């Protein structure tokens, strides 16, 4: 198909805001009407899109074809990377792929390209003779960023400067900031004439951000990029104290000092810094500006950070700094950005559309081809080499596995234009040609043509002389005066830093690293995120987030090996697929010998098995003196083991999940802080729910099940008790669904929710130490609005009856239709040809008095039909009751599709008053998490928010952060303080607000 002159344009699927197009209708017109002989383009097929800035009809008007089917296209264009299933075999694709720097998260896309024998051209790699990118949207991000931020203030960076210059402005040198800031505020002097009607802008470079640690040393940009550890940050002292607005467009990676840390901002604001806003064009979350911990959206562009209280808010009405961090700014100028982009891209389309061999392409396009015909092109052959360096095989003995079996090893740090100038190829060639090996430890990639990249390699050799030769050769290519050809006569293209040679005695075993082993029992959905988290401990990234998220030094284990055990080996093997440092084993916990064998090999056990299994595992852990973590409620059988656990010197940490788990942690943080400040808790309400994401709530119940529905339905039939305004209220299980109250979270107004009381809320008064002071104590389960009234009506009809039904025991199997007719007391259910429609069901529900509200009856009827109870399909023999049949229907019809996400929402509201007359406070804490897909594997939000806390519990025990022994919950500061910090650092956002 390559070179057939037929061009396809993809519909963008990355996010709902992506409206840009690689070619506009006018570009398509020029390509089509210029004649294939001149433009190389015979046809253009455009996938339909309701989001694209140019309507489909405009493409049709200029001669394009509108069709989802791009199978006739030899060249297919997009902006962002498409879904994997959109990659067609033997075609050429062009888009921003983010694969040429061997980014791990984008390798499935490259693998799919290779598997389909396709070709890939990356816009980012199309550069001119001067080495600068020809295709980019950068200036439109700056323009949009400033226009957006002018709602709250101002902005600066390439495109942002264009907007800035439209204001009455003056650019000043950073050295003048103290002088300008010191001008009188109230006089009718120069400040009135210049500052009131004048905006001062200051372009800040890295020389204004840092200074050499050695006082006599002059600043060198090249030296700073190569050795940032030799420099101290000064931005917070020299620039930030005078800034009203900071517009952040800088490139940053973790080895560099931050532009502003959270502590620095807090200190500046206490000292009266005039800073009111930050526009973070980089959208580098928790990056160069540490407290920018979340992306914002085009339709909700700001959040407010209050440095004094270290709290985050989504309104603009209080104290603090307003922050903008939209990661898709150029699409706000979709029309202009597409026109600019297409002007340049259309110049290349003829060659790409009409050429089947990359050898026939001009140099700038040939260099932009990462893969051709299913093979990596020579310039990019470093990608699989870097991938392979990370794919070390685990040895049979999990604890003694090593990433590098060479006798001698050394850490080599390379910085420079490693990828855009392909210098990484030369470095890897040197290592392998000398007989050495390498293992990729760390890779930070430049985000623009001007930015440096950075890699850390563990280089190994069996002979120290060979290692010396490798180091000498790598050092020599960093000297441009000796290798002008290799480095294109540009200076400072590559810098090198070499550590000390380490000699490993592999024959005797290498004990230089502390290796800890964790046993995870159970291979359900929750297991994988826990295993992934633990297996990452010891990596550079984990060291960063663990050590930066706690106030004192975090004694992190250097390396964690994970053993996942399941009754069925295949289940465990599926869990650990693709996870390094993990091993799968078959284990029946009822086999005492095997259970003791595996527990004896580890430091911590995590049980993700049903609660009924925990007692067996806990007793074995006590006997072998090993810590245990579970995500289940601590019941009486576990509490009875408290003294035995203390005597053994171990900790049994229960309720380390979402609910119970994170709910305890968020609650106790608010409650204990209030008590320390002399406050009393007058009201505590907590809501939590696992829900479909709004776009997946596409059925009448607006609900779906990741597991068997039986547990969820039974939970809705449990009685509940809570306290409201000093009055204790009991709700019978039969009335629970009807007790649902509508509920909206102020900061999440788009979610129309309702809440069901959740069992006995009063026990949390004692657990949280507020039972004697709180007039309201309520814990509820969240559902989308309307769930309770439908489920309550279904219950009254009889769909949840658990008694064995005679009709379901007959040899002649009943059908779903016959069960429905029976439940609705329709006696002529033997009548052939009867058809039940929604209105028929609704009328019958009302006629039987099962639901007085016509709207609710209609919703219930719609649900019944959606579940398929109007079908003449035989019911399986395994179903013995109406409850069984309903569960079966719900499991089939209310399941998530492979492309749908679930959602977890946890929300606390706490009222605090103070006996000394201080103003009462209303505290809110919210967790909102969506399911996520990575490397083709989907992790539900529920699994993520249950599995990660359990893994964090294990890390806290391995690192000796938890000193207490016995049976614990995460209601103690030694657990919840570091655990909440790690959750935040790992990417689970916990938002707090005080009114």
């Amino acid at each position: 198909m390559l070179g057939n002159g037929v061009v396809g344009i993809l519909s963008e699927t990355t996010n709902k805001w992506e409206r840009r197009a690689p070619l506009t209708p006018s570009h398509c017109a020029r390509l089509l009407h210029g004649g294939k002989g001149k433009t190389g383009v015979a046809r253009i097929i455009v996938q339909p899109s309701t989001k694209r800035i140019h309507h489909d009809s405009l493409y049709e008007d200029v001669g394009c074809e509108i069709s989802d089917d791009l199978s006739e296209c030899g060249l297919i264009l997009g902006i962002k990377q498409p879904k994997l299933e959109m990659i067609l075999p033997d075609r050429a694709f062009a888009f921003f792929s983010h694969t040429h720097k061997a980014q791990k998260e984008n390798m499935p896309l490259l693998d799919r390209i290779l598997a389909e024998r396709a070709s890939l051209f990356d816009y980012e790699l199309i550069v001119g003779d001067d080495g600068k990118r020809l295709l980019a949207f950068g200036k439109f991000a700056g323009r949009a960023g400033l226009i957006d931020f002018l709602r709250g203030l101002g902005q600066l960076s390439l495109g942002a400067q264009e907007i800035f210059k439209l204001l009455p402005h003056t650019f000043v040198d950073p050295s003048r900031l103290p002088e300008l800031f010191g001008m009188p505020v109230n006089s009718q002097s120069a400040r009135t004439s210049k500052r009131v009607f004048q905006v001062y802008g200051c372009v800040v470079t890295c020389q204004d951000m840092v200074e050499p640690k050695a006082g006599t040393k002059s600043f060198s940009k090249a030296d700073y990029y190569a050795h940032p550890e030799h420099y101290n940050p000064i931005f917070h002292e020299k620039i930030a104290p005078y800034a009203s607005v900071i517009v952040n467009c800088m490139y940053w990676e973790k080895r560099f000092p931050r532009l502003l840390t959270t502590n620095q901002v807090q200190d500046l604001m206490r000292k009266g810094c005039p800073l009111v806003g930050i526009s973070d064009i980089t959208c580098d979350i928790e990056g160069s500006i540490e407290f920018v911990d979340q992306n914002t959206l085009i339709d909700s562009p700001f959040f407010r950070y209050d440095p004094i209280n270290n709290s985050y808010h989504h309104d603009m009405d209080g104290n603090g700094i307003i922050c903008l961090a939209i990661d898709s700014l150029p699409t706000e100028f979709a029309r202009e950005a597409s026109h600019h982009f297409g002007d340049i891209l259309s110049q290349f389309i003829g060659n790409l559309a009409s050429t089947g061999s990359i050898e026939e392409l001009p140099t700038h396009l040939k260099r932009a081809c990462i893969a051709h015909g299913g093979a990596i092109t020579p310039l990019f052959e470093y990608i699989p080499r870097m991938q392979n360096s990370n794919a070390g095989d685990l040895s049979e003995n999990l604890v003694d596995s090593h990433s590098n079996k060479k006798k001698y090893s050394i850490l080599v740090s390379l910085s420079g234009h490693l990828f855009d100038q392909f210098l990484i190829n030369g470095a890897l060639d040197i290592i392998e040609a000398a007989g050495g090996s390498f293992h990729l430890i760390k890779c930070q990639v430049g985000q623009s043509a001007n930015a440096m990249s950075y890699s850390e390699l563990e280089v190994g050799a069996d002979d120290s002389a060979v290692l010396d030769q490798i180091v000498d050769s790598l050092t020599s290519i960093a000297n441009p005066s000796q290798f002008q050809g290799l480095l294109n006569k540009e200076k400072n293209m590559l810098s090198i830093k070499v550590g000390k040679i380490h000699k490993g005695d592999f024959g005797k075993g290498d004990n230089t690293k502390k290796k800890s082993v964790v046993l995870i029992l159970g291979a359900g959905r929750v297991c994988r995120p826990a295993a992934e988290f633990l297996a990452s401990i010891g990596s550079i990234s984990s060291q960063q987030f663990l050590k930066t998220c706690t106030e004192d030094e975090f004694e992190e284990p250097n390396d964690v090996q994970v053993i996942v055990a399941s009754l069925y080996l295949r289940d465990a093997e599926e869990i650990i697929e693709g996870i390094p440092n993990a091993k799968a084993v078959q284990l029946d916990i009822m086999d005492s010998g095997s259970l003791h064998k595996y527990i004896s090999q580890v430091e911590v056990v995590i049980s993700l098995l049903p609660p009924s299994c925990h007692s067996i595992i806990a007793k074995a852990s006590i006997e072998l003196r090993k810590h245990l973590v579970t995500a289940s409620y601590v019941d009486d059988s576990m509490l009875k083991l408290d003294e035995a656990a203390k005597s053994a010197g171990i900790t049994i940490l229960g309720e380390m999940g979402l609910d119970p788990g994170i709910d305890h942690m968020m609650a106790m943080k608010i409650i204990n802080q209030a008590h320390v400040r002399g406050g009393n808790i007058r009201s505590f309400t907590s809501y939590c729910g696992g829900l479909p994401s709004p776009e997946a709530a596409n059925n009448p119940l607006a609900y779906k099940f990741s597991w068997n529905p039986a547990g969820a339905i039974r939970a809705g039939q449990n009685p509940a008790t809570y306290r409201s305004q000093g009055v204790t209220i009991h709700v019978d299980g039969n009335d629970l669904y009807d007790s649902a109250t509508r509920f909206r979270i102020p900061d999440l107004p788009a979610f129309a929710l309702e809440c069901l009381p959740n069992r006995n809320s009063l026990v949390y008064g004692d657990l949280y130490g507020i039972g004697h002071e709180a007039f309201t104590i309520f814990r509820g389960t969240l559902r989308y609005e309307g769930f309770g009234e439908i489920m309550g009506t279904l219950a009254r009809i009889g769909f949840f009856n658990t008694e064995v039904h005679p009709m379901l025991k007959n040899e002649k199997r009943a059908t779903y239709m016959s069960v429905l007719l029976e439940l609705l007391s329709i006696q002529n259910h033997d009548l052939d040809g009867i058809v039940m429609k929604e209105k028929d069901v609704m009328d019958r529900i009302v006629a039987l008095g099962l639901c007085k509200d016509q709207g609710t009856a209609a919703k219930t009827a719609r649900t019944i039909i959606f579940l398929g109870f109007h079908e003449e399909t035989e019911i399986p023999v395994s179903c013995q009751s109406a409850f069984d049949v309903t569960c079966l229907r719900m499991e089939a019809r209310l399941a998530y599709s492979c492309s749908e996400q679930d959602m977890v929402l946890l929300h606390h509201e706490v009222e605090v008053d103070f006996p000394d007359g201080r103003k009462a406070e209303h505290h809110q804490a919210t967790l909102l998490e969506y399911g996520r897909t990575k490397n083709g594997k989907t992790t539900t939000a529920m699994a993520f928010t249950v599995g990660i806390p359990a893994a964090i519990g294990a890390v806290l025990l391995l690192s000796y952060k938890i000193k207490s022994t016995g049976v614990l919950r995460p209601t103690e500061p030694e657990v919840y303080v570091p655990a909440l910090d790690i959750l935040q650092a790992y990417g689970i956002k916990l938002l707090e607000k005080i009114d």
Side-chain angles (χ1 to χ4, degrees), residues 501-807:
I501 293 180
H502 171 74
K503 181 179 180 180
D505 188 354
F506 295 111
K508 297 180 180 178
D510 183 2
N511 294 316
T512 59
K513 294 186 77 176
K514 174 191 173 185
K515 293 185 180 293
S516 302
V517 186
V518 175
L519 172 65
I520 301 179
L521 298 173
R525 292 177 174 86
V526 173
C527 182
R528 185 171 177 89
E532 285 181 324
F533 181 95
L534 290 168
S536 74
I537 300 301
S539 67
I540 298 294
S541 60
S542 75
Q543 292 171 11
Q544 292 292 331
F545 77 71
L546 286 176
K547 291 183 179 179
T548 58
C549 69
T550 52
E551 295 180 356
D552 53 345
E553 184 68 13
F554 198 90
E555 190 174 349
E556 175 206 4
N558 286 334
D559 199 6
V560 174
Q561 311 292 324
V562 181
I563 302 175
V564 175
S566 174
L567 182 62
Y568 302 102
L569 179 60
R570 183 175 179 180
D571 291 345
E573 289 174 338
E574 289 179 359
I575 289 294
I576 68 163
E577 183 181 356
I579 301 178
N581 300 331
K583 179 180 180 180
V585 299
Q586 188 277 332
L587 173 62
D588 181 354
I589 66 164
M590 302 309 294
D591 182 343
S592 178
S594 295
L595 181 64
H596 280 64
K597 170 190 171 183
Y598 283 107
I599 291 180
S600 67
Q601 297 178 20
V602 307
E603 282 79 14
V604 178
V605 180
I606 298 177
S607 176
L608 300 176
L609 294 170
S612 58
C613 302
H614 293 337
S615 180
I616 297 171
I617 299 162
K619 290 175 181 177
S621 298
I622 292 171
E623 181 179 342
L624 297 168
R625 300 178 183 271
K626 306 294 183 180
H627 299 301
L628 172 64
V629 180
T630 82
S632 305
Y633 284 100
V634 174
D635 59 18
D636 290 341
S637 66
M638 294 293 281
L639 286 173
K640 291 177 182 178
L641 299 174
D642 181 57
E643 289 302 323
K646 289 179 178 176
S647 298
I650 70 160
T651 302
I652 297 177
L653 179 58
E655 303 188 5
M656 279 298 287
L658 169 68
D659 175 8
I662 300 177
D663 58 342
H664 291 333
M665 303 180 207
M666 294 170 65
M668 292 308 299
K669 179 182 178 182
I670 296 172
I671 291 168
N672 282 348
Q673 287 179 349
H675 283 163
V676 167
R677 295 167 52 233
N680 293 317
I681 308 301
R682 286 296 178 245
S683 174
F684 174 83
T685 54
S686 174
Y687 312 90
C688 187
L691 301 163
S693 62
E695 59 269 21
N698 49 13
N699 61 67
L701 268 177
Y703 193 74
K704 291 190 175 180
F705 297 91
S706 297
W707 285 272
N708 189 301
I713 295 174
R714 290 193 182 103
Q717 298 173 317
N718 291 318
T721 303
Y722 60 94
R723 185 186 303 164
S724 177
Q725 300 298 319
V727 178
T728 298
I729 298 173
H730 301 281
V731 181
D732 185 82
N734 295 327
D735 301 324
L736 191 73
Y737 285 122
D738 294 321
S739 70
T741 57
R742 294 180 178 179
F743 172 79
R744 283 185 184 251
I745 296 175
D747 287 339
L748 299 172
F751 294 93
L753 303 167
E754 65 182 29
C755 188
L756 303 167
N758 188 359
R759 303 198 183 192
N760 187 358
S761 298
L762 300 186
V763 297
Y764 291 87
D766 295 331
L767 182 62
Y768 295 163
I770 60 173
H772 62 289
E773 63 189 85
F775 289 94
T776 296
I777 302 176
F778 178 89
R779 282 170 49 91
T781 301
L782 290 177
R783 295 289 183 262
Y784 287 116
E785 193 175 276
F787 177 89
E789 59 189 11
I790 296 174
M791 293 291 281
T793 306
L794 290 175
R796 284 190 293 277
I797 294 172
F799 280 92
F800 303 149
N801 291 342
T802 57
E803 301 85 8
V804 175
H805 198 287
M807 181 191 303

Side-chain angles (χ1 to χ4, degrees), residues 837-847 854 857-859 861:
K837 297 181 180 179
E838 283 183 15
K839 188 176 186 309
D840 301 321
V841 177
M842 179 189 71
D843 292 342
R844 189 61 181 167
I845 292 173
V846 174
Q854 193 87 4
K859 294 176 187 177

Side-chain angles (χ1 to χ4, degrees), residues 294-368:
Q294 55 194 282
N295 283 331
T296 56
L297 302 174
I298 290 174
D299 53 345
S300 181
F302 297 101
F303 68 87
R304 178 168 55 88
Y305 172 66
D306 182 352
I308 303 304
N309 294 306
N310 193 29
S311 60
Y312 291 83
H313 311 268
H314 290 276
D315 60 72
M316 305 285 282
D317 301 328
N319 297 324
I321 303 167
I322 62 170
C323 306
L324 178 146
I326 300 172
D327 62 1
S328 55
L329 283 169
T331 198
E332 293 191 33
F333 284 99
R335 189 179 305 278
E336 295 82 356
S338 298
H339 184 78
H340 164 79
F341 192 82
D343 281 347
I344 303 169
L345 178 61
S346 58
Q347 301 173 35
F348 311 136
I349 294 301
N351 282 316
L352 293 175
S354 61
T355 304
S357 170
I358 61 171
E359 299 305 322
E360 302 173 15
L361 293 173
T363 302
H364 59 278
L365 295 180
K366 189 186 303 183
R367 286 169 60 88

